[in-house]
Amino acid sequence: MTQWERLRKLPAVYAQQLHELYDRDALPMDVRHYLSGWIEKQEWQRAARDQDLAMVLFQVLLENLDIQHSRFVQEESFLMQHNIRRYKHNFQKYQDDPMTLASTISWFLEKEKEILQTADLDQQVQFLHVEEEAMETTSQQDLERKMAGLRNDVQCMEHTMICLEEQQDEFDFKYQTLTMEARGDEADRNQQMKVLQSLVNRLNDCRKSTLADLNKLLDRTEDLINTLVKKELVEWQRRQQKSCIGAPDNVCLDQLEKWFTCVAVCLFQVREFIGKLEELVGKVSYDNDPVKIHRPALQERADTLLKDLIKSAFVVETQPSMPQGKGPLVLRTNVQFSVKTRFLVKFLELNHSMKVDVSMDREAPQLKGYRHFNVLGTKSKALNMAESQSGGMVADFRHLTLKEQKCGGGGKGVSDISLSVTEELHIIYFNTVFELKGVSVALQASSLPVVIISNSSQQQSAWASVLWFNMISQDTKDVMFFAKSPAATWPQFREMLSWQFLFATKRGLNDAQREMIAFKLFGRQQNYDTCKVAWSKFSKENTPDTFWVWFDGILVMVKTYLEDLWRDDLIMGFVSKGKEKSLLKKKQRGTFLLRFSESVIGGITFSWVDTTSTGEPEVKTVQPFTKVDLCQIPFHEIIRNFQILEAENVPENPLLYLYPNTSKDEAFGKYYTDKTGSDNPYIKYIKTKLMFVSKENTLEAKSPMSSDMAQGEGLEPNNGPCGESAEQNNDLHPLESPLECSLETYPPDPMLSGPVGNPEDDLLLYLNNPNLFDDTDILQDEQMLPEFGLQAFHCLPQQSCGSMFR
């Protein structure tokens, strides 16, 4: 089943997200639909970097549109003929820049995957949180019972009002009849007066009872409003905060809208009941009439409850986000963003009648250098039911931009506190007025704090601020949060980290991986739950070696190159070198595991257990692979084709069993390319990965085509050893030029016990130099591991073999 077919079968709530995604001009949904099979088979990400490929795909796209146009001509579909012709004309603007079109289509495909992942996550959450959902279901059922009770009370009150009116009409009729009849004797008049007095007493009792019932009805309504506003809405807002940073929480507003509307309808009916009482008092009244005494207070209470409910019903349903941003709540000046507001009281008569206006930072803090912005674009829209799949009252702003104000005073403030650009928090406000049946209420909703950047290089740091704020703070208007940012507890922190992987790959971090991260941060502890992480340790602008830079580098690498392997639980990932050593030494020869580099940002490596000549187990590792390698050859092909030659033995792949004891081919076989040998598209890349020459080291890593490589075919110098291995052997002298190996004498290698001889006696190491060291060379004892002071991280630049260790 194609990705597009899966999207078309999603439930309505996700189909709405798809409609919102394609409500843009860049890639029409018609084109995506009719060319879905072809679009999904193309390498758009590569085309976004390759001008020639992008041009080829651009030309083929236009040809496919011509084919579709011809088809619609035959089918006499006049409208689609017109649309396809218009789409082709619009695509012509990419004639000189087809790479931009490729990048755009790639972005749409990634967004589609995110929608599918969200749908899958919802199913996963339902499976993982059965008890929590049971509690929510019980709470919702209790609330539904209260709503049903409120509606029943309103219906009973409606009947009571009818009875009260009938009783008053009876009294009024008899009173009018008595006054119109001729006067009888005094005894008859006294008897009639007694009858009228009895009717007045009954009427008075009925009015008192009605007032008491109305008060009880308002008591029940107030209780429900408190539950909705102070519990359900607050919990939804917190869930929305967490969902913005990757939590798989349900943020659908349909149920809340149903409840808010129900209570609002009941309150409007109560106001009608109170108005009816006023009408009845105007016809019949008497001394100490309870309605005259208590109706004003009753009216005021009903109006206050209604206004409180209405004020809370205006919310931001979808937080501000850029179409190609790292996540929501990070905005960039002069780049369009979208945001959606929703009014949870759904009355048909309000459709298109409430105008929503957008503004920025009305009460901005007076801080030194604090920036101010203007909102540009369509800043006013009407709440309507057409822009929501569920028919909710929404105002969907899709083309807003921000422009920084030029402050003449240089942004001077009354406070000396200074925040970095990515620590500045700003709030976007939305204002409208509710007017219905004599009730007028000014409403305001506000976004979660956003971070506004001016350069894409600030994205990573800005997203770190968004993560930190929404992980810790529940005060959604605290724009001074980073003036004195509190520390995060380890339970908060580990949950947030796991959300990042869960959202990006549909698989979060397990307990062992979280414990390894805790060890890196806090050292060995009996209980990490009491530990805290400071903001400065997590991320600080202009500091290249923070925890977040390291973690995000891994996350981006996994999302881009290793998502399937990670999702299938083939990558152990976060495991210390000491733990790795203890795990592998207990296993059979050839057992290996995959872990993320602790020192190379965005690096992954593998280690395996071998045996020495005395039969002792020893752990060997390979230098970390980064995007430089993974963008050219999939990691599973590296694992599949990795080989070593020891002494004069036949070349063999030392990677036999994925930890703990799964056959390598069983674990990775489904990812292998069908082509083998010289037909394998990755062999050419593998054959050019010559690393360095050493005489005494009797271990050689080589590609499956080593016989060709040994003759010098296609050999090119590559990056020298780097990462953990390289850093611990920084006196290595790699081969300056592999093509000159027969002409030079090699300098001594500190890894080797003897001198280096002629190159014809040497053994070549291929395929991203495994840097095969003894565990004493590369695996440190856990006690010697550096604390996570973050100086241990190094983002090594890619260099040629001849320059890495000079």
Side-chain angles (χ1 to χ4, degrees):
M1 185 183 298
T2 65
Q3 181 170 302
W4 186 250
E5 289 172 339
R6 290 181 60 199
L7 287 164
R8 293 176 62 194
K9 293 183 178 181
L10 290 177
V13 62
Y14 305 108
Q16 171 63 16
Q17 296 179 28
L18 187 64
H19 285 296
E20 292 174 356
L21 172 64
Y22 279 97
D23 193 13
R24 296 173 169 87
D25 298 330
L27 180 61
M29 182 178 279
D30 288 338
V31 175
R32 178 66 179 94
H33 175 73
Y34 290 110
L35 303 184
S36 59
W38 177 80
I39 287 176
E40 292 179 27
K41 292 178 181 178
Q42 310 312 311
E43 297 183 73
W44 297 106
Q45 287 186 350
R46 187 160 71 89
R49 305 186 301 269
D50 187 331
Q51 175 74 17
D52 293 337
L53 177 59
M55 180 57 70
V56 170
L57 293 181
F58 171 73
Q59 296 294 341
V60 176
L61 173 64
L62 297 185
E63 292 173 6
N64 282 326
L65 290 176
D66 287 336
I67 294 172
Q68 289 298 322
H69 182 268
S70 300
R71 171 191 161 194
F72 291 127
V73 169
Q74 294 175 358
E75 295 176 358
E76 297 183 354
S77 177
F78 178 77
L79 181 60
M80 287 309 302
Q81 292 177 45
H82 169 78
N83 288 343
I84 293 295
R85 189 164 51 247
R86 179 166 57 88
Y87 300 150
K88 181 180 177 182
H89 175 75
N90 291 341
F91 282 132
Q92 294 290 347
K93 65 184 180 182
Y94 295 109
Q95 178 73 41
D96 297 327
D97 189 14
M99 292 171 63
T100 298
L101 175 61
S103 176
T104 300
I105 296 177
S106 175
W107 179 82
F108 273 93
L109 294 176
E110 286 301 313
K111 288 298 179 182
E112 289 179 3
K113 289 179 182 178
E114 290 179 9
I115 294 175
L116 289 172
Q117 289 171 3
T118 302
D120 292 340
L121 279 175
D122 286 347
Q123 293 181 353
Q124 182 179 354
V125 170
Q126 291 175 5
F127 177 76
L128 293 176
H129 302 285
V130 175
E131 293 185 2
E132 180 180 343
E133 288 186 356
M135 288 180 55
E136 290 181 359
T137 301
T138 301
S139 174
Q140 290 178 0
Q141 289 175 348
D142 182 57
L143 199 49
E144 285 286 2
R145 284 192 293 269
K146 290 182 178 181
M147 289 290 173
L150 178 63
R151 288 191 294 266
N152 183 66
D153 285 352
V154 170
Q155 291 176 356
C156 292
M157 180 55 62
E158 190 172 9
H159 177 72
T160 299
M161 295 301 298
I162 293 173
C163 294
L164 178 62
E165 185 174 16
E166 290 176 349
Q167 194 171 34
Q168 179 167 314
D169 288 343
E170 179 187 3
F171 169 79
D172 187 50
F173 174 77
K174 290 186 177 180
Y175 179 77
Q176 296 296 336
T177 301
L178 178 63
T179 56
M180 292 175 62
E181 290 179 350
R183 294 185 179 182
D185 57 27
E186 187 175 348
D188 290 340
R189 288 198 299 274
N190 289 337
Q191 183 61 36
Q192 291 172 344
M193 290 300 296
K194 287 181 180 180
V195 173
L196 290 175
Q197 186 63 51
S198 175
L199 290 174
V200 168
N201 291 340
R202 284 175 54 197
L203 180 62
N204 188 65
D205 291 342
C206 190
R207 286 186 172 183
K208 286 181 178 180
S209 176
T210 301
L211 291 169
D213 288 344
L214 282 172
N215 266 312
K216 290 179 181 178
L217 184 56
L218 290 178
D219 287 342
R220 170 168 277 184
T221 304
E222 185 173 11
D223 178 59
L224 278 172
I225 290 175
N226 286 334
T227 301
L228 287 177
V229 174
K230 298 180 180 179
K231 181 179 181 294
E232 295 294 334
L233 187 60
V234 169
E235 290 178 356
W236 173 82
Q237 289 170 337
R238 183 56 185 158
R239 288 199 303 273
Q240 187 188 48
Q241 267 192 284
K242 294 193 294 182
S243 72
C244 284
I245 57 174
D249 287 2
N250 180 12
V251 292
C252 180
L253 282 169
D254 292 350
Q255 186 62 63
L256 271 177
E257 180 187 74
K258 177 182 174 183
W259 289 333
F260 268 80
T261 302
C262 174
V263 176
V265 168
C266 290
L267 278 173
F268 270 107
Q269 288 181 281
V270 169
R271 293 182 78 254
E272 291 178 4
F273 297 152
I274 296 173
K276 188 66 177 179
L277 286 178
E278 186 176 17
E279 178 186 329
L280 293 177
V281 168
K283 295 178 180 179
V284 175
S285 187
Y286 44 86
D287 292 340
N288 298 320
D289 186 342
V291 173
K292 273 190 172 183
I293 298 172
H294 298 292
R295 190 202 64 79
L298 204 63
Q299 181 77 59
E300 182 179 358
R301 185 184 182 195
D303 289 347
T304 299
L305 290 175
L306 180 59
K307 290 179 180 179
D308 289 345
L309 179 73
I310 290 173
K311 285 180 179 179
S312 302
F314 188 41
V315 298
V316 177
E317 180 178 20
T318 304
Q319 293 294 329
S321 64
M322 297 187 298
Q324 296 183 346
K326 197 170 182 67
L329 303 174
V330 176
L331 306 180
R332 184 177 171 185
T333 54
N334 303 316
V335 174
Q336 285 189 350
F337 68 93
S338 61
V339 59
K340 184 192 295 185
T341 59
R342 184 165 178 174
F343 187 49
L344 299 178
V345 175
K346 183 179 175 181
F347 288 144
L348 294 177
E349 50 265 58
L350 293 175
N351 195 22
H352 292 286
S353 67
M354 295 173 63
K355 299 290 184 181
V356 180
D357 297 314
V358 187
S359 60
M360 280 287 296
D361 290 330
R362 292 197 168 185
E363 298 179 1
Q366 298 298 311
L367 294 180
K368 182 180 180 181
Y370 190 87
R371 300 167 300 157
H372 297 78
F373 297 89
N374 292 324
V375 182
L376 306 179
T378 306
K379 298 189 294 182
S380 181
K381 290 196 70 174
L383 288 166
N384 65 88
M385 300 179 187
E387 294 182 311
S388 172
Q389 184 72 20
S390 61
M393 295 279 294
V394 302
D396 194 357
F397 298 88
R398 301 178 185 177
H399 305 290
L400 298 176
T401 56
L402 297 175
K403 185 174 182 179
E404 185 175 354
Q405 297 178 8
K406 300 301 181 182
C407 300
K412 294 182 179 179
V414 298
S415 173
D416 289 334
I417 297 175
S418 179
L419 299 175
S420 69
V421 167
T422 56
E423 290 177 328
E424 271 187 22
L425 299 179
H426 300 264
I427 295 177
I428 303 174
Y429 291 93
F430 306 87
N431 295 277
T432 187
V433 177
F434 173 91
E435 290 182 333
L436 184 68
K437 298 179 181 180
V439 178
S440 179
V441 187
L443 307 180
Q444 183 180 86
S446 57
S447 71
L448 292 172
V450 299
V451 178
I452 303 174
I453 60 176
S454 57
N455 191 292
S456 59
S457 64
Q458 299 168 319
Q459 280 255 15
Q460 187 180 55
S461 180
W463 181 238
S465 297
V466 169
L467 291 175
W468 197 260
F469 177 88
N470 291 286
M471 171 180 58
I472 297 175
S473 179
Q474 296 188 36
D475 181 358
T476 57
K477 294 187 178 180
D478 183 12
V479 295
M480 294 290 292
F481 175 81
F482 285 104
K484 191 177 180 181
S485 176
T489 64
W490 171 242
Q492 290 175 316
F493 193 70
R494 72 186 178 202
E495 189 176 40
M496 181 272 289
L497 295 181
S498 187
W499 288 340
Q500 305 313 298
F501 271 89
L502 185 61
F503 181 78
T505 68
K506 295 192 292 187
R507 175 176 170 254
L509 304 178
N510 59 34
D511 291 340
Q513 291 163 340
R514 291 195 289 258
E515 184 175 354
M516 180 273 180
I517 296 174
F519 174 76
K520 292 291 292 180
L521 288 167
F522 312 115
R524 184 68 62 196
Q525 301 287 336
Q526 288 286 353
N527 183 7
Y528 291 110
D529 288 353
T530 58
C531 298
K532 292 186 177 182
V533 183
W535 163 242
S536 58
K537 197 169 191 177
F538 175 65
S539 175
K540 196 70 177 175
E541 192 177 29
N542 299 323
T543 305
D545 54 359
T546 62
F547 175 89
W548 173 243
V549 171
W550 172 72
F551 187 87
D552 189 51
I554 292 172
L555 186 63
V556 171
M557 174 187 64
V558 171
K559 174 63 178 174
T560 308
Y561 304 108
L562 307 171
E563 182 174 353
D564 291 338
L565 301 184
W566 173 263
R567 192 184 303 136
D568 288 346
D569 201 16
L570 302 178
I571 300 174
M572 185 172 292
F574 296 98
V575 56
S576 68
K577 288 178 281 187
K579 183 69 173 178
E580 173 190 66
K581 177 180 176 180
S582 65
L583 291 175
L584 290 177
K585 281 201 168 184
K586 301 174 184 176
K587 294 297 178 180
Q588 60 184 318
R589 179 179 180 271
T591 301
F592 68 100
L593 59 79
L594 315 178
R595 67 174 176 85
F596 302 131
S597 172
E598 298 178 48
S599 58
V600 176
I601 294 174
I604 186 170
T605 184
F606 51 78
S607 300
W608 69 94
V609 62
D610 205 341
T611 54
T612 64
S613 57
T614 61
E616 294 296 320
E618 65 175 350
V619 176
K620 298 175 180 178
T621 195
V622 68
Q623 73 179 49
F625 299 90
T626 65
K627 67 178 182 180
V628 175
D629 310 298
L630 301 178
C631 70
Q632 303 205 44
I633 177 170
F635 196 46
H636 57 265
E637 291 293 335
I638 293 176
I639 295 170
R640 179 189 185 185
N641 294 289
F642 183 80
Q643 290 189 349
I644 63 171
L645 175 62
E646 189 168 8
E648 297 179 355
N649 296 332
V650 177
E652 66 174 354
N653 190 325
L655 312 178
L656 303 178
Y657 307 100
L658 180 67
Y659 183 90
N661 57 3
T662 305
S663 165
K664 176 188 67 177
D665 292 337
E666 179 183 345
F668 299 94
K670 70 177 184 179
Y671 300 110
Y672 292 164
T673 178
D674 294 335
K675 298 179 180 179
T676 59
S678 60
D679 293 331
N680 189 315
Y682 304 111
I683 287 298
K684 182 177 180 181
Y685 177 77
I686 294 171
K687 288 166 61 178
T688 62
K689 299 299 287 183
L690 178 65
M691 300 311 295
F692 66 87
V693 178
S694 54
K695 175 183 178 182
E696 296 297 329
N697 188 348
T698 58
L699 200 56
E700 176 186 24
K702 58 191 294 184
S703 81
M705 300 296 292
S706 59
S707 59
D708 292 337
M709 294 177 63
Q711 298 171 11
E713 178 180 332
L715 296 181
E716 297 175 9
N718 189 61
N719 296 343
C722 61
E724 286 100 337
S725 305
E727 288 171 15
Q728 296 175 39
N729 297 275
N730 55 11
D731 293 326
L732 284 174
H733 295 275
L735 183 64
E736 291 285 350
S737 173
L739 298 180
E740 301 175 0
C741 62
S742 63
L743 304 177
E744 297 184 8
T745 301
Y746 298 96
D749 191 323
M751 289 176 55
L752 310 178
S753 57
V756 177
N758 293 326
E760 52 265 26
D761 297 327
D762 295 342
L763 296 174
L764 302 179
L765 278 75
Y766 295 91
L767 187 52
N768 267 310
N769 171 29
N771 270 3
L772 301 170
F773 301 107
D774 292 334
D775 45 337
T776 55
D777 293 322
I778 187 166
L779 297 171
Q780 305 176 11
D781 187 87
E782 279 194 282
Q783 301 299 323
M784 298 300 292
L785 289 173
E787 292 186 4
F788 201 84
L790 303 175
Q791 282 78 11
F793 288 147
H794 300 282
C795 186
L796 296 179
Q798 294 297 328
Q799 304 181 44
S800 67
C801 266
S803 62
M804 178 67 76
F805 296 106
R806 287 178 179 171

